[in-house]
Amino acid sequence: MNEWLDWRSLKKIIENKKNIFFFGRSEDWIPKTYSKIKTNEKNFFILENNKFFKNKTFLNCKIFNPNILKKFDFKNDYVIITAEPDSIISELLNYNLEIGKNFCCTPEIEEWGKLQEIKNHSRNLIFSSSDYFDLSKARSSKLGGGIFIANISNQKYEKQIDGQYRQMIQVKDNYYVVEFVKKEVHIFDKNFKILQKYNLDQSKDQNEKPNYCGIAYIKENHSFYVAHAATDEISVYDDKNFKFKNKITFSNKSKQYEDGQCHINDLTNIGKNLFVSYFSRSGLWKKGIFDGGVSEIDLDNDNSINDLIYNLAQPHSPEIVNGQIYVLDSYNKYLCHGTKKIIKFQGFVRGLAFDEDYFYVAQSEDMYLSKDMGSGIENTICNAGLYQVDTNKNISRFLSTPDIMNIHDILLYK
């Protein structure tokens, strides 16, 4: 059980209790709670540490020091917290009272409690940025690109490694990240020490444009997969020495032009099935056709492609969460669970992680936002940063990263 019960559950628990103690003399929360559970069959008291209220009453309820809980009757007594819970819960646990069974917080402040939970939830994250270091370029920033560590609860972020990085993955204790300008994969450990750099430009001509983006690892195939947005191909590398093995062609249309037409970007997988996000299935995104989505590549069936999610605008960051597919509809500002939109943000979102309690979503200062400016009544946030999101309550906290323009990916940092 937890400390947050609804009214129905609380009333059922106290049905057979004789003595109800409100812990915390609140001018607001006690009257609201009292009015919902008041009955002549029960005795009501107030517990309060403030000596000013000693031997006084409130709403005809006697006020006692909490040390009377030394004589707590586990059969007949129950405590309802009617003040800020954190310190009170610790005090109740010292009297060997059990959460839910012997005490709870008043349901009157459940919404307030949810705000405290998201505020106090501390989680270290690492995120990648692809920003240029040259401020004369449009996609540059004061700090430039790199690998950063962040904590939304602490409202802090700090750079650990310089580079122009896109998607990251964790394999065992190390991290693999695409450095798209240098056309390399960099491996770093939990102390952010670079352990190895592998060249991605290993084809026969060795003339790939610097637009590698997504990366995935499939243990069963002993292979790494790296998506190339400029050619709409996925390069396959051996996991022992990162030597090039072969390529998977997502679309032949890019071979007719000088650049990628589908703009494949990020990768993820379930077993041997590879998932890729892209801007346009038709290959016409540069002509204004944003028929983006997520497709599955069946590596055991001749790399056949199965289109799964349609009509997204510049999507990124497909992720598998508890066996389910999630993706960010970046330009439209949505987090999608499969084909269902579950929450809308206020800017260009790219970078997604989940820690069983909250989703973490990154937002970039993206030039595409200019298409939305001045349209409708929705407000667009122009700065980059990280959201911590409770999708059940549709609430979030935001860490602004003012010295960075683009965030590409997020991972939980343990």
Side-chain angles (χ1 to χ4, degrees):
M1 300 181 72
N2 63 58
E3 65 269 31
W4 299 107
L5 302 181
D6 56 30
W7 287 112
R8 182 179 179 181
S9 300
L10 173 59
K11 288 177 180 179
K12 186 174 182 180
I13 288 177
I14 65 174
E15 218 171 45
N16 300 314
K17 303 292 183 181
K18 293 182 179 180
N19 304 309
I20 306 300
F21 295 88
F22 298 120
F23 201 138
R25 187 193 174 282
S26 167
E27 297 278 351
D28 185 27
W29 295 340
I30 285 183
K32 289 178 179 177
T33 305
Y34 189 40
S35 66
K36 289 184 172 67
I37 62 173
K38 184 179 179 181
T39 169
N40 292 329
E41 298 173 356
K42 302 187 187 303
N43 303 310
F44 291 90
F45 308 94
I46 297 172
L47 304 176
E48 175 57 60
N49 281 303
N50 190 333
K51 294 179 180 179
F52 176 80
F53 297 109
K54 185 178 180 180
N55 298 323
K56 295 186 178 181
T57 62
F58 181 56
L59 296 180
N60 295 319
C61 300
K62 278 189 174 183
I63 300 176
F64 293 97
N65 186 283
N67 62 19
I68 68 167
L69 292 175
K70 293 177 181 177
K71 299 179 180 179
F72 187 82
D73 184 336
F74 287 86
K75 180 180 179 182
N76 294 312
D77 296 349
Y78 198 82
V79 177
I80 301 174
I81 297 172
T82 49
E84 198 285 319
D86 285 351
S87 60
I88 294 176
I89 289 175
S90 300
E91 193 169 347
L92 292 173
L93 293 175
N94 287 334
Y95 289 109
N96 296 318
L97 275 64
E98 295 183 34
I99 294 176
K101 184 177 181 180
N102 306 125
F103 71 89
C104 73
C105 296
T106 172
E108 195 64 42
I109 60 171
E110 182 179 4
E111 296 302 316
W112 177 87
K114 290 296 181 183
L115 295 176
Q116 302 313 302
E117 284 182 8
I118 191 171
K119 181 179 179 180
N120 296 325
H121 185 83
S122 183
R123 165 68 68 179
N124 288 325
L125 308 168
I126 57 175
F127 67 86
S128 62
S129 172
S130 58
D131 286 358
Y132 289 101
F133 293 87
D134 182 356
L135 289 175
S136 66
K137 294 186 176 182
R139 295 178 181 273
S140 63
S141 63
K142 291 181 180 179
L143 285 179
I147 303 297
F148 295 77
I149 187 169
N151 189 299
I152 297 177
S153 176
N154 298 338
Q155 289 289 292
K156 293 181 180 179
Y157 70 101
E158 183 179 1
K159 180 185 277 193
Q160 303 296 317
I161 304 173
D162 275 330
Q164 291 166 290
Y165 293 117
R166 290 186 170 173
Q167 191 177 5
M168 303 177 290
I169 57 172
Q170 183 175 359
V171 180
K172 295 182 179 179
D173 291 330
N174 295 327
Y175 300 91
Y176 292 68
V177 60
V178 175
E179 217 290 3
F180 83 98
V181 170
K182 295 180 179 178
K183 298 188 288 185
E184 295 174 341
V185 162
H186 292 180
I187 306 172
F188 61 94
D189 63 17
K190 292 184 177 180
N191 296 315
F192 301 101
K193 178 184 177 182
I194 298 289
L195 304 176
Q196 186 64 267
K197 298 179 180 180
Y198 289 112
N199 177 28
L200 293 172
D201 198 358
Q202 299 178 25
S203 65
K204 183 178 179 181
D205 297 328
Q206 294 189 344
N207 62 353
E208 276 78 8
K209 293 182 179 181
N211 211 351
Y212 287 99
C213 189
I215 183 170
Y217 174 62
I218 297 182
K219 182 179 178 181
E220 295 87 342
N221 291 349
H222 306 287
S223 298
F224 286 92
Y225 299 80
V226 180
H228 195 202
T231 64
D232 291 332
E233 295 174 315
I234 299 171
S235 298
V236 186
Y237 301 88
D238 186 86
D239 66 357
K240 292 181 180 178
N241 50 22
F242 228 90
K243 290 298 181 184
F244 175 77
K245 296 167 69 173
N246 62 286
K247 284 186 178 180
I248 300 169
T249 299
F250 185 77
S251 171
N252 284 313
K253 196 166 188 176
S254 62
K255 300 185 186 307
Q256 305 170 32
Y257 303 91
E258 294 182 356
D259 206 351
Q261 302 301 298
C262 295
H263 194 85
I264 64 172
N265 46 57
D266 296 325
L267 302 173
T268 191
N269 69 286
I270 299 178
K272 292 184 179 182
N273 289 355
L274 192 65
F275 299 89
V276 57
S277 54
Y278 48 84
F279 281 11
S280 173
R281 192 66 180 97
S282 64
L284 296 172
W285 72 279
K286 291 185 178 180
K287 295 177 176 59
I289 306 301
F290 288 98
D291 55 338
V294 177
S295 293
E296 174 192 35
I297 301 175
D298 189 345
L299 302 175
D300 279 345
N301 188 22
D302 234 5
N303 298 329
S304 61
I305 298 175
N306 179 25
D307 299 331
L308 303 176
I309 304 174
Y310 307 87
N311 298 321
L312 305 182
Q314 300 175 351
H316 291 84
S317 311
E319 292 290 343
I320 308 302
V321 175
N322 296 326
Q324 303 287 300
I325 299 175
Y326 289 77
V327 66
L328 292 171
D329 188 359
S330 302
Y331 175 73
N332 288 327
K333 311 182 184 77
Y334 287 107
L335 168 62
C336 299
H337 176 192
T339 56
K340 181 182 179 182
K341 300 171 182 175
I342 60 174
I343 193 166
K344 187 170 187 177
F345 297 90
Q346 290 183 275
F348 189 92
V349 284
R350 176 178 55 200
L352 176 64
F354 180 68
D355 71 355
E356 302 301 330
D357 293 302
Y358 299 97
F359 281 93
Y360 300 89
V361 176
Q363 179 171 289
S364 295
E365 291 181 24
D366 199 281
M367 293 182 293
Y368 299 118
L369 289 177
S370 62
K371 299 174 185 176
D372 268 358
M373 290 181 182
S375 62
I377 62 173
E378 290 186 8
N379 182 265
T380 295
I381 294 179
C382 296
N383 53 316
L386 301 170
Y387 291 95
Q388 175 189 354
V389 187
D390 182 336
T391 55
N392 294 316
K393 289 290 183 181
N394 199 11
I395 58 175
S396 64
R397 300 189 77 232
F398 187 72
L399 167 62
S400 177
T401 56
D403 295 323
I404 302 167
M405 181 178 180
N406 292 283
I407 299 176
H408 193 97
D409 201 11
I410 311 172
L411 289 178
L412 304 179
Y413 181 64
K414 300 178 181 179

